Amino acid sequence: MFSDLVGIETVTTMLFLCMLVLMVLGLPLAFCLGGTAVVFGFLFWGPQSAYVIMLKAGNTMNETVLVAVPLFVFMGYMLERAGIADQLFGSIRTWLGGTPGSLASTTILGCTVVAAMSGISTTGVLMMGIIALPAMISRGYDGRLAMGSIMAGGALGALIPPSITFIVYSTISDVSIGRLFLGGLLPGLLLSSLFIGYITITCMLKPARGPAIPKEDRPPLSEKLRSLKDLVLPIVLIVGVLGSMFVGIATPTEAAAVGAFGAIVSALVARRLNWSTLSYCSLNTFGTIAMVMWIVFSANVFASVYQGLGAAHFIQSLMTDWNVHPIVVIILIQIIWILLGALMDSLSILMITGPIFVPVAVALGYDPLLLGVLFVLTSEIGYLSPPFGVNLFVMRSITSSDEVPMTDIYASVIPFIILQIIGLILVMSFPMIATWLPDLVFG
C-alpha cells in the first residue's frame, strides 16, 4: 500500500485530479466518483476498503427518507402531463397582463408555484419554457430576458419546498426535513421577489424588452375572477403535501405519497389520465431516479473512502485552526460550492462535500440548518452558471440552435446570477431569513 509513502495532502490532490480527468474524458459522473473511490481505497487503505464501500452503499439504500424522492419526481412528471402549468400561466397572466414585463413576471410566479409542487429545478424550466417562451417571443419580448426568467424561475425548485436537495441534505446533517423545508421557503420567496423586481424595473425603463399587454387585449374583471378556479388544484396540492407534513399528520415520505396521489387526481380532473400518461410518468421517473441514486451511491462511497483516508480530520483541522472569523471559513465553503456548481450537479457536490463541510460548520458554531439553505442557494447559482449549468442545457433542448446561439443562453442568465448572489449575501447577513420560520413552527 502507498498510504505510508504519501501524506493526505498528496492523496487529496491525486484523488480529485483523477476524478476531474475522468469527467473531462466524458465518463458518467457516477463512474467517475465510484471508480475513483474503489481504486484509491484499495491503493491507500487496503482490501478492507471493500467492506466499507459495501456497508456504505447498503446504509444508503436503507435511508427511508430517500423513498420520498421518486414520489416527488413522479408528482412533477404527472403535473407536467396534467397541464397544471398551462392553467397556472394563463391565470396569473390574466391578472398581471397590464404591468411591464408581465409575462416574464408571470413565468417567475408560475415557476415558484411549480417548485412548490414538484421540488425539481428542471421541471419548472421544461414546463414554463414550452408554454411561456413562445408567448413572450410572440409579444415582442427580448429573447434574453425571456430565457433568463424561465431558467432563473426554474432554479427556485431547488429551494422552495418540497426540495429533493433538502431531502438528501437531511440524511447528511441530521436536520429534520420539515425544518429544512421551512428554512428554504422565505429565501425562495425572497429570490422570486428579486427576480420580479428586476424584470419590472427593467421593462419600465426599457419597455421594448417586455411590453405590457395592450389595454384592448386585457380581460375584464369577470374573466379574471373566473380564472381563479385554475389555482384551486395547485393550492390544494401544495397545502396537502406541505401542510400534512408541517402539522405532523404525515412523515416526509407519506407527504410525498400524498403529493403523488394528488397529482394523479389532478390529471384525472383535467381528463388527461390514461395509460399513456401513467407509462410516460413512470418510465421517466424510473430513469431520473436511476441516475440520481447511482450518483448518491457513488458520491457516498467517494466521501466515505476520502474520510477513511483521513481527509475529514485534515480538512476540519485546516479550517478550524485558521486564526480567522468563522464567517471567513463559511464564505470559503460557499466559493468552493459555487465553483463546483459550474462543473457538476448539486447532489454530487452535496454528497462529496457535505460529510466534510457540515462537521466543520458545526465545529465553528454554525447552524447546520442555515448551512443547508446556503448550500441550496449556491446550487441555484450552479444551475445557471456556464459552462455546465443544468438549466442552460434544458433551455438548449427546447430552443432551436439555428435561431438561439448558446452564447445568448449564457448571456441571458448573467443578471439573474447577480441577483442570486445578492440573495445569498442577504441570507448570510441576516440568518433569520432562513431560521425564523422553522424556529416559529418547530421551536
Side-chain angles (χ1 to χ4, degrees), residues 342-373:
L343 300 173
M344 62 180 72
D345 68 280
S346 60
L347 289 181
S348 301
I349 298 170
L350 176 60
M351 298 306 298
I352 294 170
T353 64
I356 298 171
F357 288 163
V358 171
V360 169
V362 172
L364 293 172
Y366 215 73
D367 188 347
L369 165 66
L370 179 58
L371 186 71
V373 174

Side-chain angles (χ1 to χ4, degrees), residues 143-145 147-149 151 407-416:
R144 292 185 177 183
L145 179 67
M147 293 187 294
S149 62
M151 289 184 283
T407 51
D408 280 2
I409 295 178
Y410 285 162
S412 68
V413 296
I414 300 302
F416 294 95

Side-chain angles (χ1 to χ4, degrees), residues 3 23 30 63 77 98 184 194 199 244 249 265 281 295 304 311 408 435:
S3 55
M23 289 176 59
E63 290 282 358
Y77 280 117
L194 287 174
I199 291 168
S244 63
I249 298 176
V265 173
C281 296
I295 291 174
S304 297
D408 280 2
T435 60

Side-chain angles (χ1 to χ4, degrees), residues 225-390:
L225 293 175
R226 282 197 301 270
S227 72
L228 292 178
K229 71 179 187 301
D230 293 331
L231 299 178
V232 173
L233 274 178
I235 291 174
V236 169
L237 189 58
I238 292 170
V239 172
V241 173
L242 301 182
S244 63
M245 185 168 48
F246 293 147
V247 301
I249 298 176
T251 65
T253 301
E254 292 166 344
V258 170
F261 178 75
I264 294 175
V265 173
S266 299
L268 181 63
V269 171
R271 299 182 179 180
R272 296 190 181 186
L273 183 63
N274 50 47
W275 177 250
S276 175
T277 296
L278 285 173
S279 176
Y280 170 87
C281 296
S282 300
L283 291 175
N284 278 276
T285 298
F286 181 80
T288 300
I289 291 302
M291 176 188 67
V292 169
M293 293 311 297
W294 268 113
I295 291 174
V296 170
F297 290 157
S298 301
N300 252 322
V301 169
F302 183 93
S304 297
V305 170
Y306 190 42
Q307 291 183 66
L309 294 174
H313 178 72
F314 162 67
I315 293 177
Q316 291 175 28
S317 299
L318 182 66
M319 290 188 169
T320 55
D321 289 347
W322 281 356
N323 189 25
V324 295
H325 194 278
I327 194 63
V328 176
V329 178
I330 301 301
I331 291 173
L332 176 61
I333 290 175
Q334 305 309 307
I335 293 173
I336 292 172
W337 278 340
I338 291 174
L339 293 176
L340 290 176
L343 300 173
M344 62 180 72
D345 68 280
S346 60
L347 289 181
S348 301
I349 298 170
L350 176 60
M351 298 306 298
I352 294 170
T353 64
I356 298 171
F357 288 163
V358 171
V360 169
V362 172
L364 293 172
Y366 215 73
D367 188 347
L369 165 66
L370 179 58
L371 186 71
V373 174
L374 294 178
F375 170 77
V376 177
L377 282 167
T378 58
S379 71
E380 285 196 359
I381 297 173
Y383 280 120
L384 303 184
S385 296
F388 301 122
V390 175

Side-chain angles (χ1 to χ4, degrees), residues 89-126:
F89 186 78
S91 180
I92 299 173
R93 181 178 61 179
T94 299
W95 284 91
L96 297 182
T99 59
S102 58
L103 293 183
S105 297
T106 297
T107 299
I108 297 294
L109 288 174
C111 285
T112 303
V113 179
V114 168
M117 293 188 295
S118 69
I120 306 172
S121 173
T122 54
T123 300
V125 179
L126 282 171

Side-chain angles (χ1 to χ4, degrees), residues 29-52:
L29 183 59
F31 294 163
C32 297
L33 293 169
T36 303
V38 170
V39 171
F40 274 72
F42 272 92
L43 286 177
F44 295 98
W45 198 348
Q48 62 268 32
S49 64
Y51 171 76
V52 175

